[in-house]
Amino acid sequence: MTEPVTPVLREMRWWDIDPVLELEKDLFPEDAWSRGMFWSELAHSRGPGTTRRYVVAEDGGRIVGYAGLAAAGAVGDVQTIAVAREQWGTGLGARLLTELLRAATAFDCAEVMLECRVDNVRARKLYERFGFEAIGVRRGYYQPGNVDALVMRLTTASGSGSAPGATSEQGTEIHG
């Protein structure tokens, strides 16, 4: 019997955009990001003055997850996290979120924000396990479905060099 292979996390590059878009359209058919949105984010992810961190999870040459964080001053913002359906429940979402929190620490973010569809219970549970707390609702945020977004915040551990949950979370997966 063959041991299951753990997907490898690596920096997202421009050549990953097409396979990422396929996964994006499968998981978020109503409000998928465009090619231009990914290009724009990646343009800020390398070189001096970098303000973004985007990673992909690759399994046997196939993209099975991706995630991105934007930093502005002391605030990080989780832009996106997605995991292929066949990877749900494997801990991949937690690994991607951990990588984003590591990036937030490297960017010296004092807090990390995100929006989560109010109907995405799986994602909310993951974020709560990492210490994110709901701080508000954005009505009709996700279009065209007019779905509300739960705004969540994580205040990083001051002086510890890492965000809570950044090294120990496993399990629950996220797809939005």
Side-chain angles (χ1 to χ4, degrees), residues 6 8-10 13 16-18 21 28 35 44 51 55 67 70-71 74 88 95 107 113 115 128-129 146 153 172-173:
T6 301
V8 174
L9 301 188
R10 64 170 175 78
R13 300 300 303 273
D16 296 315
I17 292 176
D18 284 342
L21 280 173
F28 313 111
R35 177 175 278 104
H44 298 285
T51 59
V55 295
W88 291 359
R95 287 180 58 212
F107 285 129
M113 306 289 293
E115 292 86 22
E128 288 167 357
R129 282 189 16 240
N146 202 36
R153 176 178 59 205
T172 305
E173 286 313 299

Side-chain angles (χ1 to χ4, degrees), residues 19-122:
V20 162
L21 280 173
E22 286 179 33
L23 188 53
E24 176 83 2
K25 289 173 184 171
D26 175 51
L27 296 171
F28 313 111
E30 286 189 349
D31 52 3
W33 280 26
S34 68
R35 177 175 278 104
M37 291 170 77
F38 280 107
W39 270 106
S40 177
E41 288 297 296
L42 291 182
H44 298 285
S45 68
R46 295 178 64 89
T50 296
T51 59
R52 306 287 193 275
R53 172 75 170 144
Y54 276 77
V55 295
V56 294
E58 194 172 36
D59 185 14
R62 191 169 84 80
I63 303 295
V64 295
Y66 56 91
L69 176 105
V75 179
D77 189 38
V78 173
Q79 300 291 295
T80 187
I81 295 182
V83 172
R85 296 176 200 280
E86 72 273 8
Q87 292 285 329
W88 291 359
T90 66
L92 182 55
R95 287 180 58 212
L96 289 164
L97 183 55
T98 295
E99 181 58 32
L100 295 185
L101 294 177
R102 283 188 188 120
T105 298
F107 285 129
D108 291 326
C109 297
E111 63 183 11
V112 178
M113 306 289 293
L114 61 83
E115 292 86 22
C116 175
R117 287 176 63 109
V118 294
D119 58 357
N120 191 341
V121 176
R122 181 184 293 268

Side-chain angles (χ1 to χ4, degrees), residues 120-176:
N120 191 341
V121 176
R122 181 184 293 268
R124 285 187 11 221
K125 285 182 178 180
L126 173 64
Y127 295 139
E128 288 167 357
R129 282 189 16 240
F130 271 75
F132 282 86
E133 296 177 337
I135 61 167
V137 173
R138 290 194 173 140
R139 302 277 175 220
Y141 183 79
Y142 292 99
Q143 294 297 327
N146 202 36
V147 177
D148 295 345
L150 185 64
V151 180
M152 301 183 83
R153 176 178 59 205
L154 172 69
T155 303
T156 60
S158 135
S160 75
S162 68
T167 58
S168 62
E169 293 301 318
Q170 302 275 331
T172 305
E173 286 313 299
I174 180 169
H175 54 89

